Each structure stands twice: as C-alpha cells, then as structure tokens.
C-alpha cells in the first residue's frame, strides 16, 4: 500500500502543494490578461495606454475596436507617406542648394533598393509570424484556460476530499477512544435492540393500563364531585331548616351539624381548590377557585363562576365564567339546560386544569 493511502495527511499536503504550484505558475494566459487589462484601463495618463475606444468605462465590441484600429492604421500610413515625401523633398532641396553635393549614381539607388527589398521581406515574415502567433493565441487560449480551470477545480476537490478523509479518521479515532473495547457487534446490537423493543412494548402496555386507571379515577372523581355538590345543596337546605328550628327550639345537635358542615366545606375546598364563595343575593352564588399551575415558578390562576338561579327555585338560570381563555358558552348552555350545577363546575375545572 502506498504511503499516501495509509497516511491521509500526506495526501492533503501533496494536494496543497499542487494547488500552490498551480497558483504560482507563470501562465502566459493569465499574465497576458493582466497586461492587457493594465494597458487598456482608462486613466489620466494616456501616453502609455492603447488607443482603444471606451463606452461607460468598458471596452466596446471587438469588431468596433478592429474598425477603429484599421482606421488609425490607415491614417498612420497616410502620415508616414507624407512624412517620407516631405523628408525626401527636404533632402533633395538640401542637395541642390549645397555647394558640395554628394555624388549619387544608379549603383547607389540599386543598393538602396536592395536594402529596402530585404527589409520589406523581413517585415513581411515578421507580420506572418505575428499573425500566426495571434492565431495560435486565439486557438489555444480557451483550451488552456479550460484546462487550467479544470485542474484548479480538481485540485480544490482533492484538497477538500483529503481533508474530509482526515477529519473522518480523526473522528473515528475519537470514537474508538470514547468507546473502548469490547464494542458491540451486529449480533449483539440486534439482540439489544430486540430486548429494548420488548421492554418498550411492555412499557406501552403499562402506560395504557395506567391511562385506563386514570380515566376510571377521573370518572369516579367526577361522580364524587357531583355527589359532594348534591350533599352541599342538601346541607344548605338542612342548615336553613336548622336555623329556623334553632330560633324556635334549642337543640344540641346543631353544633354537631355545624362541625360536620365545616369539615365537609374544608374537604370540598381541598378537593376542588375552592378559595371563596359568596351569595350577593338570594338567587346568586359566586364561587372562586384557585388553580395550581403545572410549573412551580408560575402563580396560581383564579377561576370565578357566578351561578344565577330562578328565584324561589333550585333551577339554574345562567352561569358566568371569568378566568378562562377558551370559549365555554356551549358547555355552560348544555349544563344550564340540564340543570346540572355540579357537572358544570366539574367541566369548568377540568377545562381550566387542561389549559394550564
């Protein structure tokens, strides 16, 4: 096995070196692009810039640049011809007016023609080489740029993959250190999973049984609350009769009945969280309950129920509820229609405790 496969850090280092070599390599296409941008950038000093046409800070269409360059070259050739013509005239005039004019014969003209012909051949070959170079640049520049982009992307991908391999190996080493031998095998893990499934099924059965017990207890508590409410009403009636009898006849049982009512009232308050009850009028009863919150940090919540009865009867006429966020008009209407006071109180307390 090669050293690079056994040691992922060596692969990471090799990939990074390759990336640095690609970034620091003197590629002509990148260098030429930078030089072109520098020479064609608009600025105040235009003596060293290429005479290219700009539009809103950017170069125009290359075809327009080519036309502009052709026009400038034609103007340059015209200027060059005029310059050569003027220079020739000037030399000719100087030769004529000079006292010691040089002797120019046909041989000298022939020699100058040979020199000009040679220079024209060299210029033609140089132009051909320049055109060939431009053609090669246009042909190979996109290919070189594409290869460079692919090499750079693959290098970055290789560095990233090598880093991921190294991170995975380090994570595996940490997991091995965190979970020393003996480790779970596939068979032991499957057995443990089966045991956990059986235990979860058993716990689900237990939870279902407890929920059934809770529902049964809730029904019993509801029935008990109705019975307590019924007894409370009977107690009130008996107390009223006892008061009437107390005014007429002295009876020692009144004290016992009063103690029983006090104990019953205390029990009712503890079971239903009854805080206070007042009777503003003969047919009105106002009950205030203090409900404990589910979280210890929260304050107690008060529920106030005002019961209105038909005068001189025990028939419930209406009920007003304060302290509930939910709408309980349907619940109140159903219990008022059934004249079920205890059921109404139990339902309102259940809704209030559920909302907590």
């Amino acid at each position: 096995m090669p050293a690079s496969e056994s040691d992922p850090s060596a692969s990471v280092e090799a990939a990074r070196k390759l990336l640095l070599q690609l970034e620091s390599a003197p590629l002509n296409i990148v260098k030429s692009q930078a030089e072109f941008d520098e020479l064609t950038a608009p600025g105040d000093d235009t003596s060293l810039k290429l005479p290219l046409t700009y539009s809103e800070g950017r170069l125009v269409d290359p075809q327009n640049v080519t036309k502009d360059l052709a026009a400038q070259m034609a103007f340059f050739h015209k200027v060059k011809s005029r310059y050569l013509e003027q220079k020739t005239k000037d030399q000719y005039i100087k030769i004529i007016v000079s006292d010691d004019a040089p002797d120019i014969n046909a041989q000298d003209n022939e020699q100058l023609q040979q020199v000009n012909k040679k220079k024209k051949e060299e210029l033609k070959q140089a132009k051909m080489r320049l055109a060939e170079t431009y053609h090669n640049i246009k042909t190979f520049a996109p290919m070189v740029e594409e290869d460079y982009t692919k090499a750079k992307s693959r290098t970055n991908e290789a560095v990233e993959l090598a880093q991921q391999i190294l991170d995975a190996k380090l994570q595996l080493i940490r997991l091995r250190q965190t979970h020393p031998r003996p480790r779970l095998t596939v068979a032991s893990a499957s057995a443990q999973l089966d045991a956990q499934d059986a235990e979860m099924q058993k716990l689900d059965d237990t939870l279902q049984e407890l929920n059934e017990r809770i529902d049964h207890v809730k029904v019993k508590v509801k029935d008990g609350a109705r019975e307590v409410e019924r007894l409370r009403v009977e107690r009130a009636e008996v107390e009223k009769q006892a008061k009437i009898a107390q005014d007429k006849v002295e009876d020692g049982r009144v004290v016992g009945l009063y103690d029983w009512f006090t104990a019953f009232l205390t029990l009712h308050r503890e079971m239903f969280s009854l805080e206070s009850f007042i009777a503003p009028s003969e047919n009105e009863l106002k009950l205030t309950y203090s409900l404990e919150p589910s979280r210890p940090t929260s304050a107690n919540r008060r529920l106030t129920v005002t019961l209105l009865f038909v005068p001189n009867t025990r028939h419930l006429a209406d009920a007003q509820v304060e302290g509930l966020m939910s709408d309980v008009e349907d619940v109140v209407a159903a219990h008022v229609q059934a004249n079920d006071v205890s059921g109404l109180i139990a339902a309102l307390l259940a809704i209030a405790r559920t909302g907590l």
Side-chain angles (χ1 to χ4, degrees):
M1 180 183 294
S4 60
E5 296 182 1
S6 60
D7 188 5
S9 59
S11 301
V12 175
E13 189 65 25
R16 289 178 179 173
K17 288 182 179 180
L18 180 58
L19 180 61
L20 292 176
Q21 290 178 1
L22 286 175
E23 291 179 352
S24 60
L27 298 178
N28 292 330
I29 185 172
V30 180
K31 184 178 178 181
S32 300
Q33 181 66 36
E35 293 178 354
F36 179 78
D37 293 339
E38 182 180 358
L39 292 174
T40 58
D44 297 335
D45 187 9
T46 59
S47 60
L48 300 178
K49 304 298 182 181
L50 293 178
L52 298 178
T53 305
Y54 282 85
S55 176
E56 298 181 358
R58 297 182 180 179
L59 290 175
V60 297
D61 191 354
Q63 294 182 358
N64 296 334
V65 175
T66 304
K67 293 179 181 179
D68 187 14
L69 181 60
Q72 293 182 11
M73 290 297 295
F75 177 75
F76 175 74
H77 287 309
K78 291 181 180 180
V79 173
K80 182 179 178 182
S81 300
R82 294 292 298 275
Y83 170 75
L84 293 176
E85 182 180 355
Q86 294 298 328
K87 183 179 179 181
T88 304
K89 289 181 179 180
D90 182 64
Q91 290 180 354
Y92 179 73
I93 293 172
K94 286 181 180 180
I95 291 173
I96 292 176
V97 299
S98 177
D99 296 335
D100 50 349
D103 187 12
I104 300 175
N105 50 26
Q107 185 177 1
D108 293 333
N109 292 332
E110 183 69 22
Q111 186 177 359
L112 289 175
Q113 289 180 359
Q114 292 294 331
V115 172
N116 290 335
K117 185 177 180 181
K118 184 178 180 180
K119 289 184 177 179
K120 287 181 179 180
E121 290 292 336
E122 292 177 355
L123 179 60
K124 184 177 181 181
Q125 293 179 3
K127 288 182 177 181
M128 292 177 62
R129 289 195 300 269
L130 182 60
E132 184 179 359
T133 303
Y134 283 159
H135 178 71
N136 292 336
I137 290 174
K138 292 180 180 179
T139 303
F140 296 112
M143 299 172 61
V144 173
E145 184 178 3
E146 184 179 0
D147 293 340
Y148 173 75
T149 305
K150 287 182 180 180
K152 189 173 181 180
S153 62
R154 290 179 180 178
T155 304
N156 293 332
E157 184 179 0
V159 172
E160 184 178 357
L161 291 176
Q163 186 65 36
Q164 291 178 1
I165 292 173
L166 182 60
D167 294 340
K169 286 185 174 291
L170 292 176
Q171 184 68 20
L172 183 59
I173 292 173
R174 293 192 188 99
L175 289 175
R176 287 178 178 175
Q177 292 177 354
T178 306
H179 304 282
R181 294 181 182 276
R183 301 185 184 91
L184 289 176
T185 60
V186 177
S188 59
S190 300
Q192 186 174 357
L193 180 62
D194 295 337
Q196 290 178 353
D197 290 338
E199 185 177 359
M200 289 180 63
Q201 184 65 33
K202 185 177 180 181
L203 293 175
D204 289 338
D205 296 339
T206 305
L207 179 61
Q208 185 176 0
E209 183 179 356
L210 290 176
N211 289 331
E212 293 177 356
R213 290 182 181 178
I214 290 173
D215 295 337
H216 185 64
V217 170
K218 286 183 178 179
V219 172
K220 286 186 176 181
V221 170
K222 187 176 181 180
D223 295 339
R226 291 180 179 177
E227 183 67 20
V228 169
E229 185 66 23
R230 185 184 64 79
L231 292 175
R232 188 187 68 79
V233 175
E234 292 181 359
R235 172 78 175 190
E237 186 67 24
V238 171
E239 184 179 354
K240 185 185 294 185
Q241 295 178 2
K243 185 176 181 181
I244 296 173
Q246 182 71 25
D247 296 337
K248 294 180 179 180
V249 180
E250 291 292 337
D251 192 352
R253 294 179 299 174
V254 175
V255 178
L257 293 174
Y258 175 77
D259 294 338
W260 177 83
F261 175 74
T262 304
F264 172 75
L265 183 60
T266 303
L267 177 62
H268 181 78
R269 287 182 176 181
E270 291 179 356
M271 290 181 62
F272 295 97
S273 303
L274 181 63
E275 185 176 298
S276 63
F277 65 95
I278 56 176
S281 60
E282 294 181 356
N283 63 328
E284 183 179 356
L285 180 61
K286 188 174 184 180
L287 305 175
T288 302
Y289 295 89
S290 179
L291 305 178
E292 295 182 358
S294 58
R295 293 181 294 180
T297 56
S298 302
N300 290 355
R301 182 177 175 184
R302 283 182 171 80
L303 175 65
T304 303
V305 181
T306 303
L307 302 175
L308 300 175
F309 297 89
V310 178
N312 300 325
T313 63
R314 295 182 181 181
H315 187 74
L316 183 62
D318 192 8
Q320 300 176 359
V321 183
E322 298 178 2
L324 284 180
M325 300 298 295
S326 58
D327 188 9
V328 294
E329 293 182 359
D330 295 339
V331 177
V332 172
H335 287 82
V336 168
Q337 185 176 2
N339 195 24
D340 188 0
V341 179
S342 59
L344 175 61
I345 297 299
L348 293 176
L349 291 176
I351 294 173
R353 291 191 174 94
T354 304
L356 294 177

